């Protein structure tokens, strides 16, 4: 079934700038999907005759949103770090955990040891949970391989998620996630490896290249080398920027016209102005603040700077094992100073914009037929019921899951 | 099916003080339930012959916990205050919302206007969601009627939830939730009404009486009058104590040997010592802090004072529309200074203790056969995956739901 008529929609969020308000909400709306794409949107009373015979889904007065676009995840990994997470809650520092063989390097070891099918099976479970929470497009990064073979394997797994599951995947090469233990004494050799053989092997498997440019990660100079090499391989650019401290990563993202600068906990007004001018989106990740008990990035200030804001889960085994975009929207509205409507926009059209996808994040003729039906008459229930299974149904390219 | 053998349990939380550690965890465990009650608990290898033929549930290596006991909820109400919640997020004060006809009085108006079946249907939906999140016993308060007829109706609905759904209900009369608008100029007359006709009508329908004793609610003197009258009617006592300020409510709860003092955001060390000495449990409600963006009560200090700590959702339409006890456990471990194990204990045996229920909250011979099977091999995943549907299955009195 690639045709679908969703009717009896209490509140339809279109994100159509031609309609009123930030979200272009239509009351008493309907959406017609033909051949996986939105063909018609409007008040149900005006539904054209040709669409009346489509297979029907009665929304029962519920709110309907565009499918969520989760623009920053580390969905593919092996291993379980809940024990380490518990030790952090009990007061152990990340440095102590790293010294005891934990932290990101334990995920790298587990991921390197995992067979490709194993990685796929684990990631597919998480992707299905994302789908049931309304995510219809997900960005997935490599970055737990830190060697050519495993980085390429992670990207193949990410792409297979998009082929085998009803979710669209955008893959990002993140060989520069952290300097691997093997290269601690020879950072330059690792950067060389990335810029040479790893990009040769991984660029064909990815749409973007990302670098963790921060204190204790890659320097601005290293990040620039890697990103410029990635550009030569035809990849778009993303950047883990200024999460732990202000090292100038946001500024670098703007200078390279990156598609996105992510985290931005320490970005200054000047940084934001540079991002805005460059058309670089800000991808904000409140679940990390929640899980790590850190201050939230100032979403209000970032939104007001005029930068395009996206929200994402950052789903990863260390700092935010979070899969639900409604939960992220709730966190942003409750704790980051965005309004509920701004948070919803950032979790849909903002995410799509940051990924350079013009055909989703909105419900307008021509866009992909990805819809989320809430278990609620109003979108305002997303932060009101932060623990709820707020998603009642999901349509992916016109197919009800 | 009232007999059940749960086997292949990776990690069985028994809360049995005769076993090791706070939670008395058994690895490789099994639980035999006969006639709705736990008959045998231990390592599966030692399962006695007579239990081997019981209907079987394979836990598949997952963690199994006692059913959650949610000791403080306002589950029965009508109306939706998500719009008001959104206005608070946008900066309107509760006082402004009250003045515009919102706040608790809008719930009172909607609840008074709702027919008994309507109230039941709405509450039953919420109770089912609680069940799917592992709550097998729930306390439910009245308090949105503030007149004899509606308070009694709310309690009848609460009791019907316990009869018609596979969840055990403990009902609490909270006629003293707030002074109704009709009695603003004659508070004493309302207290007289509670102590006389309302208690006469409601005491037979409830096990406990509760009073909101705080700034802008009932004074300590009023609360004492009401609670002493309730005692004469044979009710146990609970108290909304020192949430908004320190008015001496915790001290009153201790003085009356109340079963619980709830909230306690402003309780002092002296208050806690009095509660401990009186055997009064502290019911903590972190979802209110989360949803209202207030500081969390200091769970660490309260636990260390020696008071029995319980965790509950406070599920209500104004300040915490939260139904999931795993989410509450996550909040307590992440933001209230309890360890994950302490939070789990407080959400099970702590809740049962605060309700005076000796036969649940633990998995020991004789206890009610209420079990929660996690979608995880370890209980440590509850705060690690705070947004997850972490409950895979629930057994209520030996019946798998």
């Amino acid at each position: 079934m690639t045709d679908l008529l969703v009717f009896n929609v209490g509140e339809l969020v279109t994100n159509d700038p031609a309609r009123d308000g930030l979200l272009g909400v239509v009351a008493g709306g309907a959406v017609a999907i033909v051949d996986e794409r939105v063909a018609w949107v409007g008040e149900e009373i005006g539904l054209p005759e040709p669409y009346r015979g489509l297979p029907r889904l009665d929304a029962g007065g519920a709110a309907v949103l565009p499918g969520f676009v989760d623009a920053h995840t580390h969905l593919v990994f092996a291993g379980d770090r809940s024990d380490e997470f518990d030790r952090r809650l009990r007061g152990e520092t990340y440095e102590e955990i790293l010294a005891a063989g934990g932290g990101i390097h334990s995920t790298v070891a587990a991921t390197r040891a995992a067979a490709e099918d194993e990685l796929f099976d684990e990631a597919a479970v998480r992707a299905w949970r994302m789908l049931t929470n309304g995510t219809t497009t997900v960005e997935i990064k490599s970055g737990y391989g830190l060697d050519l073979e495993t980085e390429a394997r992670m990207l193949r797994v990410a792409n297979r998620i998009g082929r085998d599951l009803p979710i669209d995947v955008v893959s990002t090469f993140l060989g520069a996630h952290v300097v691997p233990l093997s290269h601690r004494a020879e950072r330059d050799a690792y950067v060389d490896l990335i810029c040479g053989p790893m990009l040769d092997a991984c660029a064909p498997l990815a749409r973007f290249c990302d670098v963790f440019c921060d204190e204790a990660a890659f320097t601005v100079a290293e990040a620039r080398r890697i990103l410029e090499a990635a550009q030569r391989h035809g990849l778009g650019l993303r950047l883990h920027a200024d999460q732990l401290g202000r090292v100038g990563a946001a500024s670098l993202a703007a200078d390279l016209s990156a598609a996105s600068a992510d985290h931005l906990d320490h970005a200054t007004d000047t940084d934001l102005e540079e991002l805005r001018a460059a058309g670089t989106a800000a991808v904000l990740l409140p679940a990390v603040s929640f899980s790590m008990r850190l201050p939230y990035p100032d979403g209000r200030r970032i939104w007001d700077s005029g930068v395009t804001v996206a929200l994402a889960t950052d789903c990863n085994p260390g700092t935010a094992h979070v899969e639900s975009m409604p939960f992220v929207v709730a966190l942003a509205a409750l704790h980051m100073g965005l309004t509920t409507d701004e948070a919803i926009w950032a979790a849909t059209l903002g995410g799509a914009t940051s990924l350079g996808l013009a055909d989703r994040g909105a419900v307008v003729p021509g866009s992909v037929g990805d819809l989320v039906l809430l278990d609620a008459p109003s979108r305002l229930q997303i932060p009101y019921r932060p623990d709820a299974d707020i998603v009642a149904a999901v349509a992916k390219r016109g197919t009800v899951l």
Side-chain angles (χ1 to χ4, degrees), chain A residues 79-218:
Chain A
D80 172 355
R81 282 161 62 191
S82 59
D83 175 67
E84 164 192 326
F85 190 83
D86 189 63
R87 279 151 55 206
R88 285 175 89 153
L89 288 180
R90 289 164 176 271
E92 254 183 80
T93 65
Y94 188 63
E95 288 65 34
E96 287 166 339
I97 285 164
L98 269 182
I104 188 171
H105 297 297
S106 71
T107 298
V108 171
T111 304
R112 286 177 176 175
E116 191 155 335
D117 281 351
E118 222 176 305
L119 278 180
F120 173 80
D121 290 346
E122 287 195 33
V125 168
R126 290 187 279 268
W128 265 114
R129 287 195 298 248
M130 287 182 161
L131 265 167
T132 62
N133 283 302
T135 299
T136 47
T137 300
V138 61
E139 188 258 17
I140 303 178
K141 302 178 195 297
S142 67
Y144 296 122
L146 310 182
D147 60 29
L148 189 153
E149 190 192 311
T150 317
E151 288 292 312
R153 186 156 77 242
M154 288 183 70
L155 291 169
R156 286 195 302 270
V157 168
N159 293 330
R160 186 174 154 202
I161 295 283
R163 280 197 310 275
D164 290 7
L165 274 69
I167 191 167
D168 289 322
V169 169
V170 175
S171 298
T172 296
F173 168 59
L174 178 60
H177 198 182
V178 67
V179 177
L181 295 176
S182 56
H183 288 74
R184 272 294 153 91
E186 37 185 9
R187 298 173 64 90
D188 285 353
Y190 186 61
V191 175
D192 290 345
L193 181 64
I194 293 174
C195 294
M198 281 172 82
L199 265 173
D200 288 342
C202 293
L205 301 168
R207 195 175 311 177
F208 289 97
C209 177
D210 191 349
V211 175
F212 190 6
C213 179
D214 218 315
E215 294 169 0
F218 291 86

Side-chain angles (χ1 to χ4, degrees), chain A residues 6-43:
Chain A
V6 182
F7 69 104
N8 195 11
V9 178
E11 184 181 280
L12 174 64
V13 172
T14 67
N15 286 337
D16 182 348
R19 298 184 188 270
D20 286 344
L22 177 65
L23 300 188
V25 174
V26 176
V31 185
I33 297 171
V34 175
D35 274 349
E36 303 190 356
R37 300 258 163 188
V38 173
W40 184 89
V41 186
E43 289 180 34

Side-chain angles (χ1 to χ4, degrees), chain A residues 47-98:
Chain A
L47 181 70
E49 181 59 37
Y51 302 122
R52 296 192 184 174
L54 297 180
R56 295 159 79 86
L57 175 67
D58 184 348
V64 169
L65 281 61
F68 292 112
V69 179
D70 189 346
H72 182 138
T73 86
H74 305 257
L75 192 70
V76 176
F77 61 85
D80 172 355
R81 282 161 62 191
S82 59
D83 175 67
E84 164 192 326
F85 190 83
D86 189 63
R87 279 151 55 206
R88 285 175 89 153
L89 288 180
R90 289 164 176 271
E92 254 183 80
T93 65
Y94 188 63
E95 288 65 34
E96 287 166 339
I97 285 164
L98 269 182

Side-chain angles (χ1 to χ4, degrees), chain A residues 326 329-331 333-334 340 375-388 390:
Chain A
V329 168
L331 290 177
L334 282 162
T340 303
D375 174 30
S378 164
R379 66 198 183 276
L380 299 182
Q381 290 212 358
I382 297 177
Y384 182 57
R385 293 169 52 200
D387 67 326
I390 199 94

